[in-house]
Amino acid sequence: MRGHHVDVDLKKIGRPVQAMVAVRLRPPDRAVIESFRAFVAGLPEVLSVFVMSGSDDFLLHIAVADNDHLSGFVLDRLTQRKEIVDVRTSVIFNHFRRTVVTPVVPDE
């Protein structure tokens, strides 16, 4: 077990709109990835940062006040970065998270 878990009601703190934002960077080298990771980790809208393999380099879980703020986050914060070559945004309708994780026992 690591750390603590807090279940924040995003609606109550004025950030009810959640989205997953997939980002592709160029060039995909260590310095660019580490710099971008540090940048997005410092943005208050970002709840989680996933560094990925495959067609996307990052997947960001964000929470904002409304669709205008979502659009502003993508257009004013992300796409202003010169290393970004593609951004795809998917709005989250419902978010389920396990509060207890149990070990998976292999079949015998």
Side-chain angles (χ1 to χ4, degrees), residues 19-43 46 48-62 73 78 81 83-90:
M20 299 301 283
V21 182
V23 178
R24 193 162 42 106
L25 306 177
R26 290 296 172 262
D29 63 33
R30 182 177 300 276
V32 169
I33 293 205
E34 289 179 0
S35 172
F36 186 76
R37 182 179 61 209
F39 166 70
V40 294
L43 298 175
V46 175
S48 298
V49 177
F50 301 91
V51 182
M52 311 286 289
S53 66
S55 61
D56 298 316
D57 298 307
F58 283 85
L59 189 59
L60 311 176
H61 178 199
I62 68 168
F73 176 82
L78 291 185
R81 304 277 303 196
E83 69 271 29
I84 293 179
V85 295
D86 188 42
V87 175
R88 290 178 294 109
T89 304
S90 299

Side-chain angles (χ1 to χ4, degrees), residues 10-11 16-20 61 90-97:
L10 294 170
K11 289 180 185 177
V17 176
Q18 295 182 67
M20 299 301 283
H61 178 199
S90 299
V91 173
I92 298 171
F93 293 131
N94 196 331
H95 180 205
F96 167 78
R97 178 185 6 231

Side-chain angles (χ1 to χ4, degrees), residues 98 100-105:
R98 291 188 186 277
V100 176
V101 178
T102 57
V104 175
V105 180

